[in-house]
């Protein structure tokens, strides 16, 4: 075991090596590797350099095996350099940084091969998700599925510009409500973003905001060297000068170097003899080193600060840094995407004693003895013994879920009833379901499940209305045994919680099956966070309801138009839009299975409050086709010249139009499209197989549409963007007359709105006539 001074010396060598490897990785990609397209590869040498001391102190001193870290996106190369030193990353992948098969631009759970706890990239989201991951950890501890002694810290390494992101503050409020703990956020406070320096007045406000929300704030402004000088005669004046120096001035002086520091300090402080003597005691290089010896670059300061936190209170570390520290780019206004030129990086290489051709060697220039000591030191750190992510056993899903009874019902009500029936059962599946909603629990039919299974809170919360014997349909008591996590109305929080719940299997070894409901039009409000969750392969069931202009009385602000296209275009998300209750039960059962499959994904159901007459089934053959994306509700006749293809809530109008037209259009088919998304993916796969020389098999939709005549026409209709179905004609070359909504809705009853937006039976009949004119 290394003594304190030796440990700091070893950490210093590691920090320098991380700065070098991250810088060289970016330089190699942009200046040495062949560029076949002539485009800039990119990378962020300055953003990496400002983080190397923080990440060294965290990974090789403070981090425990059970802790999890979200790394600032632009510091991704530092993370890969760390795993290179740990023997978990290859030189080949680092040489292909931002190239096919190489290190990704930003840390990615699904694309990188090193251990990545949280994907980052869309700034702010990787920070906030750590808070929700901590909440999931508490949920598992409360249910006895994780030992309290195994609780880890959920840590985010963030750039100060990420503090501009609104979702950070939405998360703070939700965390306060749920008594957040075991969460560290470490700010690389370099005070430079892409366009400008950070406003000087913001520093104290961050303290106020976080402390108000129950966080401890630890500010690391000065390094050990600065603190020692401040204690000397004349040092207090220097400390006060640094304290009041504008951020922009500090950046300029850092870039200009020791002579500029001397001129400015002598001008401002030279009248005080003791301070002037203190300045004169340092040559230019030493003065520059002193003035940039900030807390975020001092390993003594960082390790002491991390060691000082021994409880579970959420903690914000504000670590003052210099952007580009240790590089010739340090402090320059344009250093965010700026890069060292060849002469500059070769000078850095020479300063480190690295010979040409040894740039990728882990410990080049250090000598065999020191290299062996560093390898042994790294091997002894807790992070080197971090367990691989665990695979959680699958939760048994029943062969079928009961179909809710009722001749007339909505898909939203059917969803709620399926969940309620599960909640009352003793199925193992029911115990692993966790529900959540952004303040729309009751209006999206989660209420019955919550009443049966309860609200989750680490600290019990009584239902005051119930105690006062005031009648209510809601049982709103909260305990640590509950299975619904209540959220405020912020959709980013909603999707980030679904993400954290959906990663419980790899993160904590216990599989949860999250179900989240949100008003369908407001999926767009949290779309970045939804994409973020899908990108890192989190698994959850998303229910968007009510949808479309079918939500007639609510008006355009609450009527969704483009969500079918979101469902089609979002990778990692399989989407369905059922029309009948038995379809809902079928798709929910499939979703719970698919969410657990190795090649599975999250699932999205687009539902409605419109009550419709249920279809009477005579067989079960339709089920497999419905899961594949479409089935014939009314089979077309041989060589039929036309078909109506509908999706979701407009089933009654489509069926009525089919009844009105079937005598005039012999063999008319009625195609129930349950998933434009799955149909399109399957069609794309079939075409790709043909192009790539694979085994070609017709897609499911091709097989269905080939029952029509080659010159047949299709009328497509859905309560959403017509583009979600209009592409059907391209599969087999059929003419298409598409119906749907591509304008903002308005208030009215369903009859008026369906007539106005051409979704009623007459519109379908007119569209069919258009095909034959």
């Amino acid at each position: 075991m290394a003594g304190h001074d030796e440990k700091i010396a070893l950490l210093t060598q590691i920090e320098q090596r991380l700065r070098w490897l991250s810088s060289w990785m970016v330089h190699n990609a942009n200046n040495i590797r062949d560029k076949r397209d002539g485009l800039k590869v990119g990378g962020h040498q300055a953003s990496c350099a400002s983080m190397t001391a923080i990440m060294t102190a965290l990974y090789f001193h403070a981090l425990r095996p059970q802790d999890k870290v979200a790394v600032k996106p632009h510091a991704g190369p530092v993370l890969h350099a760390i795993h290179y030193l740990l023997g978990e990353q290859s030189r080949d992948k680092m040489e292909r940084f931002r190239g096919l098969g190489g290190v990704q631009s930003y840390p990615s759970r699904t694309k990188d091969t090193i251990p990545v706890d949280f994907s980052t990239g869309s700034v702010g989201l990787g920070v906030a998700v750590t808070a929700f991951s901590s909440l999931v950890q508490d949920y598992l501890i409360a249910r006895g599925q994780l030992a309290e002694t195994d609780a880890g810290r959920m840590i985010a390494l963030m750039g100060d510009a990420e503090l501009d992101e609104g979702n950070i503050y939405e998360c703070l409020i939700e965390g306060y409500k749920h008594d957040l703990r075991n969460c560290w956020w470490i700010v690389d406070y370099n005070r430079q973003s892409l366009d400008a320096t950070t406003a000087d007045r913001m520093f104290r406000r961050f303290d106020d905001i976080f402390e108000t929300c129950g966080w401890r704030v630890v500010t690391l402004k000065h390094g050990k060297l600065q603190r020692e000088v401040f204690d000397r005669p004349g040092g207090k004046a220097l400390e006060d000068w640094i304290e009041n120096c504008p951020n922009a001035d500090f950046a300029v002086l850092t870039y200009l170097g020791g002579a500029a520091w001397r001129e400015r300090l002598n001008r401002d402080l030279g009248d005080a003899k003791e301070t002037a003597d203190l300045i004169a005691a340092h040559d230019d290089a030493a003065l520059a080193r002193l003035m940039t010896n900030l807390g975020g670059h001092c390993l003594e300061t960082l390790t002491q600060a991390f060691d000082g936190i021994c409880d579970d209170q959420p903690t914000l570390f504000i670590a003052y840094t210099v952007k580009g520290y240790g590089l010739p780019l340090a402090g320059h206004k344009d250093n965010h995407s700026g890069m060292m030129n060849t002469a500059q990086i070769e000078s850095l290489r020479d300063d480190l004693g690295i010979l040409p051709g040894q740039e990728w060697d882990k410990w080049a220039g250090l000598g065999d003895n020191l290299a062996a000591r560093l390898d042994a030191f790294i091997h002894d750190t807790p992070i080197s013994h971090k367990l691989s992510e665990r695979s959680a056993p699958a939760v048994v899903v029943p062969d079928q879920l009961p179909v809710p009874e009722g001749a007339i019902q909505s898909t939203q009500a059917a969803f709620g009833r399926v969940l309620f029936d599960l909640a009352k059962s003793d199925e193992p599946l029911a115990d692993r379901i966790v529900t959540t909603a952004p303040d729309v629990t009751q209006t999206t039919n989660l209420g019955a499940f919550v009443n049966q299974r309860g609200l989750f809170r680490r600290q019990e919360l009584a239902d005051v209305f119930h105690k006062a014997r005031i009648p209510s349909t809601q049982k709103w008591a909260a305990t640590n045994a509950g299975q619904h996590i209540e959220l405020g109305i912020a959709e980013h929080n909603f999707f980030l919680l679904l993400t954290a719940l959906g990663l419980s299997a790899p993160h904590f070894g216990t599989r949860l099956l999250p179900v989240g409901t949100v008003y369908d039009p407001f999926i767009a409000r949290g779309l970045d966070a939804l994409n973020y969750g899908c990108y890192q392969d989190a698994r959850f069931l998303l229910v968007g309801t009510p949808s479309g202009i079918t939500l007639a009385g609510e008006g355009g602000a609450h009527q969704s138009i483009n969500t079918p296209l979101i469902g089609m275009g979002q990778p990692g998300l399989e989407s369905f839009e059922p029309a009948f209750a038995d379809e809902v039960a079928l798709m929910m059962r499939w979703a719970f299975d698919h969410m657990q499959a190795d090649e599975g994904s999250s699932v999205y159901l687009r539902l409605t409050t419109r009550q419709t007459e249920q279809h009477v089934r005579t067989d079960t053959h339709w089920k497999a086709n419905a899961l594949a994306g479409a089935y014939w509700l009314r089979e077309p006749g041989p060589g039929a010249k036309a078909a109506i293809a509908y999706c979701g809530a407009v089933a009654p109008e489509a069926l009525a139009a089919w009844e009105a037209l079937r005598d005039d259009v012999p063999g008319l088919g009625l195609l129930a499209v349950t998933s434009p998304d799955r149909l399109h993916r399957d069609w794309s796969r079939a075409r790709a197989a043909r192009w790539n020389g694979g085994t070609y098999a017709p897609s499911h939709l091709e097989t269905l549409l080939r029952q029509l005549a080659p010159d047949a026409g299709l009328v497509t209709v859905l309560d959403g963007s017509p583009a979600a179905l209009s592409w059907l004609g391209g599969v087999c070359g059929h003419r298409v007359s598409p119906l749907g909504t591509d304008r903002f809705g308005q208030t009215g009853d369903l009859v008026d709105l369906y007539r106005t937006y051409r979704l009623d039976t007459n519109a379908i009949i007119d569209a069919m006539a258009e095909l034959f004119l």
Side-chain angles (χ1 to χ4, degrees):
M1 182 67 68
H4 174 76
D5 291 343
E6 183 187 4
K7 184 172 187 177
I8 295 299
L10 293 172
L11 289 174
T12 300
Q13 293 292 342
I14 292 171
E15 189 267 336
Q16 290 177 349
R17 196 56 39 149
L18 295 180
R19 192 185 315 140
W20 164 255
L21 286 170
S22 58
S23 296
W24 183 254
M25 197 184 311
V26 175
H27 178 80
N28 177 77
N30 286 275
N31 298 292
I32 298 176
R33 198 171 69 207
D34 288 340
K35 289 183 182 177
R36 294 175 297 178
D37 55 13
L39 297 177
K40 172 186 173 183
V41 176
H44 300 85
Q45 291 173 331
S47 294
C48 289
S50 66
M51 285 289 291
T52 50
I54 294 171
M55 293 180 71
T56 298
L58 181 68
Y59 275 84
F60 297 107
H61 175 76
L63 208 61
R64 304 168 302 173
Q66 68 267 38
D67 297 337
K68 294 175 176 58
V69 186
V71 175
K72 183 181 84 166
H74 293 156
V78 182
L79 178 65
H80 289 277
I82 286 171
H83 285 282
Y84 185 57
L85 298 184
L86 287 166
E88 296 172 340
Q89 180 56 284
S90 69
R91 170 178 168 175
D92 172 66
K93 287 189 176 296
M94 294 203 303
E95 285 188 286
R96 287 187 284 152
F97 171 63
R98 295 197 174 196
L100 185 63
V103 166
Q104 296 295 298
S105 307
Y106 312 121
S108 170
R109 287 182 55 82
T110 55
K111 306 296 183 184
D112 282 317
T113 54
I114 62 167
V116 175
D117 296 323
F118 302 97
S119 299
T120 52
S122 185
V123 293
L125 297 181
V127 177
V129 75
T130 59
F132 292 105
S133 186
S134 182
L135 177 58
V136 172
Q137 180 175 249
D138 281 341
Y139 179 89
L140 295 172
I141 290 171
R143 303 181 70 79
Q145 293 167 325
L146 185 69
E148 179 76 52
T149 54
D150 291 335
R153 297 187 186 103
M154 304 298 125
I155 302 169
L157 298 170
M158 61 193 293
D160 52 355
E162 291 187 83
L163 289 168
D164 291 339
E165 290 287 346
N167 71 276
I168 295 284
Y169 304 99
E170 292 175 351
C171 168
L172 280 182
I173 294 168
E174 202 64 60
Y176 182 77
K177 184 169 71 177
H178 285 283
D179 194 18
L180 175 67
R181 59 182 188 146
N182 289 317
C183 194
W184 286 6
W185 289 357
I186 305 170
V187 182
D188 167 17
Y189 199 60
N190 60 54
R191 292 150 292 151
Q192 285 185 257
S193 59
L194 181 59
D195 288 336
T197 52
T198 303
D200 299 296
R201 62 187 300 182
M202 289 308 300
F203 167 60
R204 294 297 177 194
R205 298 290 72 77
F206 295 137
D207 280 29
D208 295 344
I209 293 167
F210 278 82
E211 288 172 352
T212 298
C213 291
W215 287 61
R216 173 197 294 113
V217 178
V218 177
T219 300
L220 309 176
K221 187 162 189 177
H222 304 292
K224 181 181 178 181
L225 180 60
Q226 280 191 356
R227 294 195 303 272
E228 290 175 346
V229 169
F230 295 159
D231 288 339
R232 292 164 59 183
K236 184 63 171 64
L238 188 62
E239 180 181 8
D240 291 343
W241 186 92
I242 293 174
E243 186 71 25
N244 295 298
C245 180
N247 290 336
D249 287 9
F250 194 94
V252 167
L253 291 168
T254 296
Y255 179 72
L256 293 175
W261 280 115
R262 186 178 307 282
E263 189 277 330
R264 176 66 179 270
L265 291 172
N266 282 331
R267 187 177 72 206
D268 292 352
L269 302 174
D271 291 342
K273 183 179 185 308
E274 289 182 330
T275 305
D277 290 345
L278 193 61
I279 296 168
H282 295 76
D283 62 23
D284 285 353
L287 185 60
R289 188 162 53 250
L290 169 66
M291 297 305 292
T292 57
N293 178 237
L294 303 179
H297 298 305
C298 178
L299 290 163
E300 286 264 15
T301 301
L302 289 162
T303 54
Q304 288 174 8
F306 294 156
D307 288 345
I309 308 302
C310 301
D311 56 23
D312 61 9
Q313 181 181 0
T315 301
L316 178 75
F317 296 91
I318 300 178
Y320 274 72
T321 62
V322 170
K323 193 162 188 173
Y325 180 78
L327 307 180
L329 307 171
H332 195 287
K333 180 181 180 295
D334 301 330
N335 67 10
H336 181 82
S337 298
M339 297 180 198
M340 288 179 280
N341 59 36
T342 299
Q344 289 172 326
I345 200 159
E346 286 179 353
S347 176
L348 178 63
R349 181 189 63 196
D350 295 343
D351 289 344
L352 294 171
I354 299 172
L355 297 176
Q358 295 182 348
E359 290 88 355
W360 295 105
D361 292 1
K362 290 182 181 179
W363 309 118
L366 296 183
D368 293 342
N369 290 338
L370 181 54
R373 187 71 188 96
L374 286 163
D375 276 331
F377 173 76
I378 285 175
H379 178 74
D380 286 339
T381 56
I383 187 61
S384 70
H385 303 293
K386 184 172 182 176
L387 299 175
S388 300
E389 288 191 342
R390 293 160 281 186
S391 59
V395 179
V396 176
V397 178
D399 291 338
Q400 60 183 17
L401 299 178
V403 177
E405 296 180 356
I408 298 177
Q409 55 184 309
S410 70
T411 52
Q412 177 179 307
F415 156 76
R417 185 53 192 263
V418 170
L419 270 188
F420 180 51
D421 289 343
L422 272 173
K424 293 186 298 179
S425 76
D426 57 1
E427 293 283 353
L429 171 65
D431 294 333
R432 298 299 182 91
I433 292 174
V434 187
T435 60
T436 189
D439 200 37
V440 291
T441 299
Q442 299 302 319
T443 49
T444 55
N445 280 68
L446 279 182
F449 179 90
V450 178
N451 285 344
Q452 188 70 26
R453 291 282 174 154
L455 279 166
F456 171 75
R457 277 290 178 90
R458 213 159 47 82
Q459 307 297 332
E460 292 197 6
L461 182 68
D463 186 340
V464 178
F465 279 80
H466 178 71
K467 283 191 171 184
R469 298 187 178 181
I470 298 173
S472 172
T473 58
Q474 303 177 32
K475 298 176 184 177
W476 220 239
T479 70
N480 60 13
Q483 289 180 237
H484 176 80
I485 299 177
E486 177 199 6
L487 292 176
I489 203 166
E491 281 79 8
H492 269 92
N493 285 343
F494 167 71
F495 282 115
L496 290 173
L497 176 58
L498 284 179
T499 296
L501 288 164
L503 290 172
S504 64
H507 275 175
F508 304 111
T510 297
R511 190 179 300 277
L512 298 175
L513 296 170
V515 178
T517 60
V518 62
Y519 283 177
D520 194 65
F522 300 145
I523 285 176
R525 281 168 52 169
L527 190 54
D528 191 19
L530 169 61
N531 181 68
Y532 172 74
C534 292
Y535 177 65
Q536 55 190 326
D537 198 26
R539 306 293 181 84
F540 48 82
L541 174 59
L542 167 65
V543 176
T545 184
S547 63
I549 65 169
T550 302
L551 189 60
E554 294 286 343
H558 281 62
Q559 296 169 359
S560 55
I561 297 169
N562 67 339
T563 48
L565 299 178
I566 291 173
M568 292 179 68
Q570 178 60 57
L573 186 72
E574 301 276 358
S575 67
F576 292 91
E577 186 165 355
F580 303 113
D582 55 359
E583 294 176 355
V584 173
L586 175 72
M587 291 160 192
M588 287 179 67
R589 191 264 162 214
W590 182 88
F592 289 132
D593 208 31
H594 184 70
M595 287 158 61
Q596 304 182 69
D598 289 343
E599 300 300 321
S601 69
S602 293
V603 181
Y604 161 40
L605 301 182
R606 188 176 190 252
L607 305 182
T608 176
T609 51
R610 185 188 188 190
Q611 296 201 2
T612 59
E613 184 176 348
Q614 299 300 291
H615 185 64
V616 179
R617 308 290 185 183
T618 58
D619 58 53
T620 60
H621 299 313
W622 62 277
K623 292 184 176 181
N625 286 342
L627 291 174
Y631 65 96
W632 289 111
L633 191 69
R634 295 288 186 267
E635 198 84 18
K641 291 288 189 178
I644 300 168
Y646 75 88
C647 188
V650 295
E653 284 69 30
L655 191 55
W658 182 87
E659 292 284 356
L661 289 168
R662 62 175 180 165
D663 291 336
D664 296 326
V665 185
L668 179 66
L670 181 60
L671 185 67
V673 177
T674 53
S675 176
D677 175 34
R678 286 179 65 77
L679 288 180
H680 194 275
R681 290 176 198 265
D682 183 41
W683 181 47
S684 296
R685 278 192 294 267
R687 296 170 69 223
R690 178 167 51 213
W691 298 333
N692 297 332
T695 302
Y696 171 73
S699 68
H700 176 61
L701 186 57
E702 286 177 271
T703 302
L704 292 173
L705 293 182
R706 281 177 179 173
Q707 294 180 242
L708 305 175
D711 60 346
L714 293 172
V715 173
T716 63
V717 55
L718 78 161
D719 189 353
S721 170
L725 292 180
S726 61
W727 62 272
L728 267 61
V731 175
C732 292
H734 295 125
R735 292 169 293 124
V736 174
S737 183
L739 300 175
T741 56
D742 55 9
R743 293 171 287 158
F744 288 115
Q746 56 187 301
T747 55
D749 64 16
L750 205 57
V751 176
D752 281 343
L753 292 189
Y754 270 28
R755 181 184 66 252
T756 301
Y757 292 90
R758 299 193 72 236
L759 292 178
D760 62 1
T761 300
N762 287 335
I764 298 172
I765 293 171
D766 290 344
M768 184 63 70
E770 180 181 83
L771 289 172
F772 290 96
L773 289 177

